[in-house]
Amino acid sequence: MEEQIYHQTKKPHVVIFPTPGMGHLIPLTELAKQLVHHHNFSITLILPTIGPPSMAMKSVLDRLPETITCILLSPVNLDDQPKDAKGETRISIAMVRSLPYLREELKRVISSKRVAAFVIDLFGTDAFDLAKEFGIRPYIFFPCNANVLQLLLNLSSLHQSYSGAFKDLPQPLCLPGCVPIPGTEILPPLQDKKDDAYMWILHHARRYSLAEGILVNTFVDLESSVLEVLQQGIPTIYPVGPITSSSSIGKGFDDASGCLQWLDNQPLESVLYVSFGSFGFLSYEQMIELAYGLEISGQRFLWVVKCPAAATIDASLSKQMRTDPFHFLPDGYLNRIHGSGFLVPSWAPQIQILNHGSTGGFLSHCGWNSTLESIVCGKPMITWPLYAEQRMNAVMLVEDIGVAVRPKPDENGLIGREEISRVVKILMGGGGEGKSLRDKTRQLKEGAASVVSEDGSSNISFLEVVDKWKQLSS
């Protein structure tokens, strides 16, 4: 009798297994916090590792509540992989090589917890075999948008029906409910069918049907057409977004760079925020063009400056110079922009900046986390995609949703200073296209707030999953 009462009072438990990378870890930890704070779950977060955790990862993990247990698996060795192997290949192999460690941790968790669900993200589908072995219901948390999910769910049939490279498609790819995507804008790892990265993504996409359901970090106001199509199929699709980082700074942050204090002294919506995310690096030549473009635009800007891509840095420079992002700026730049521009080396508190009343726009690499944060904060964008699904995001934001403008590169792929200045003036200008972008973004900001309210579509969708997990653990 005592044992029965004990089990009835234990919290339902979810195991989350993210793939390496901050873009995957942040939304999944936010999902975990929602389950803990609002639905009385306990969580085990099991993290595969390739090496020591980064400072950014430590910062996220250190702020997790006590009801989220975090386990770092033993690092896997990828020294046998080619140095030019794409990230999708390295991540997928790391996940597979982590499975023996994961099995041991799952044994421990199941021995003491009522596990309701096992949640992975888009590159973790090989762990489904362990979920089946232990009798746990597998789910996918998809950290990208529904347009990308539709592509992956159709990838197997596309692979069979089109023998050529997707970049050579004669017409834009038109999937049900999606904005048409030119072949050259499809995910870079899908451009070359001979690349291991293509085969890994195809492998994972074919296994999505093994999931009990897929939680997508998007919302109806943003992607109504494609969600309507997806929700008619299998597996069950749950739009639960926007799930964004509740805070990009930890306790005790004192605004060491002074960027927030500087924003306090700027006019309303007058500042363009410029950041390319944790792994977005420009070439040295492109960095110079961006610097001049921001300067000649005449607009106020706050730029998170990082060193250029390593391959474009002069190897003869000292280590101190190679690691100082300001060293690569044009001569006299800091003096010339004094007052109108503010530069922050390497990192800035993005949520606080986007939420600030003086911030009027965001020049972004279009990672989905940053995109959602910009929409939630009501800031229109300049899209500057660099890798992963970011080109597809840019097409959707510009051509379909209408909250962004995109600069045009020259024949060599370089975005020149005059073009940069042009799009900055459009976005930050008082009327015309800039006003239209701001109006649309404000509408989506209201929609984003509405869908997570008590009667909102994303909240209802999330509660449907939560109730199912609670029943499974009872």
Side-chain angles (χ1 to χ4, degrees), residues 115-330:
V115 179
F118 178 68
V119 180
I120 59 100
D121 63 12
L122 69 173
F123 294 124
T125 64
D126 288 284
F128 282 169
D129 297 338
L130 291 183
K132 183 178 180 180
E133 177 183 328
F134 288 103
I136 313 171
R137 300 292 181 96
Y139 286 78
I140 295 171
F141 178 84
F142 197 74
C144 307
N145 60 59
N147 275 254
V148 177
L149 177 59
Q150 179 72 302
L151 170 64
L152 296 188
L153 290 174
N154 284 275
L155 185 58
S156 184
S157 60
L158 290 170
H159 175 75
Q160 294 172 351
S161 63
Y162 186 70
S163 60
F166 291 136
K167 65 182 178 182
D168 298 323
L169 284 171
Q171 300 293 332
L173 180 63
C174 296
L175 294 172
C178 294
V179 59
I181 299 289
T184 53
E185 304 283 35
I186 291 173
L187 288 75
L190 295 185
Q191 297 290 347
D192 182 3
K193 289 187 175 182
K194 297 177 182 178
D195 195 295
D196 286 345
Y198 177 93
M199 297 310 299
W200 273 112
I201 293 178
L202 179 62
H203 164 75
H204 292 304
R206 284 172 168 166
R207 291 171 64 85
Y208 281 11
S209 60
L210 300 176
E212 292 281 328
I214 302 177
L215 287 70
V216 192
N217 196 10
T218 190
F219 58 102
V220 171
D221 296 48
L222 199 59
E223 298 185 272
S224 59
S225 297
V226 64
L227 285 172
E228 183 177 351
V229 174
L230 287 172
Q231 289 179 308
Q232 295 173 5
I234 297 174
T236 306
I237 304 298
Y238 302 95
V240 296
I243 295 176
T244 61
S245 178
S246 57
S247 175
S248 59
I249 61 175
K251 293 180 180 179
F253 177 76
D254 59 359
D255 190 23
S257 70
C259 64
L260 299 179
Q261 183 179 358
W262 181 79
L263 281 173
D264 289 341
N265 296 318
Q266 307 308 312
L268 185 68
E269 296 185 344
S270 66
V271 177
L272 175 70
Y273 172 53
V274 182
S275 176
F276 295 93
S278 301
F279 299 103
F281 299 94
L282 304 178
S283 68
Y284 172 68
E285 185 180 10
Q286 185 62 85
M287 181 177 175
I288 293 297
E289 290 302 308
L290 175 59
Y292 281 123
L294 293 172
E295 180 184 358
I296 65 177
S297 74
Q299 304 295 313
R300 291 177 174 84
F301 62 91
L302 194 166
W303 179 13
V304 182
V305 185
K306 294 193 295 184
C307 294
T312 66
I313 295 178
D314 184 350
S316 66
L317 292 175
S318 68
K319 182 178 180 180
Q320 182 178 358
M321 289 181 177
R322 283 186 282 117
T323 56
D324 176 12
F326 291 176
H327 171 77
F328 299 95
L329 295 169

Side-chain angles (χ1 to χ4, degrees), residues 360-423:
F362 184 13
L363 191 160
S364 169
H365 64 307
C366 297
W368 193 240
N369 289 332
S370 288
T371 296
L372 286 178
E373 288 168 2
S374 195
I375 289 171
V376 166
C377 295
K379 311 300 181 184
M381 285 166 274
I382 295 171
T383 64
W384 194 309
L386 297 175
Y387 57 91
E389 88 292 358
Q390 293 164 13
R391 289 182 177 274
M392 290 183 63
N393 295 346
V395 171
M396 186 177 75
L397 293 169
V398 175
E399 304 294 336
D400 185 33
I401 303 176
V403 295
V405 60
R406 185 175 182 179
K408 299 176 182 178
D410 63 20
E411 62 275 8
N412 298 314
L414 187 74
I415 302 176
R417 62 192 70 178
E418 295 293 342
E419 175 65 5
I420 294 167
S421 174
R422 183 185 73 85
V423 294

Side-chain angles (χ1 to χ4, degrees), residues 13-35:
H13 196 80
V14 171
V15 176
I16 298 178
F17 187 53
T19 53
M22 294 301 293
H24 303 267
L25 179 62
I26 289 174
L28 276 167
T29 55
E30 293 300 322
L31 174 75
K33 285 188 277 188
Q34 287 198 23
L35 290 169

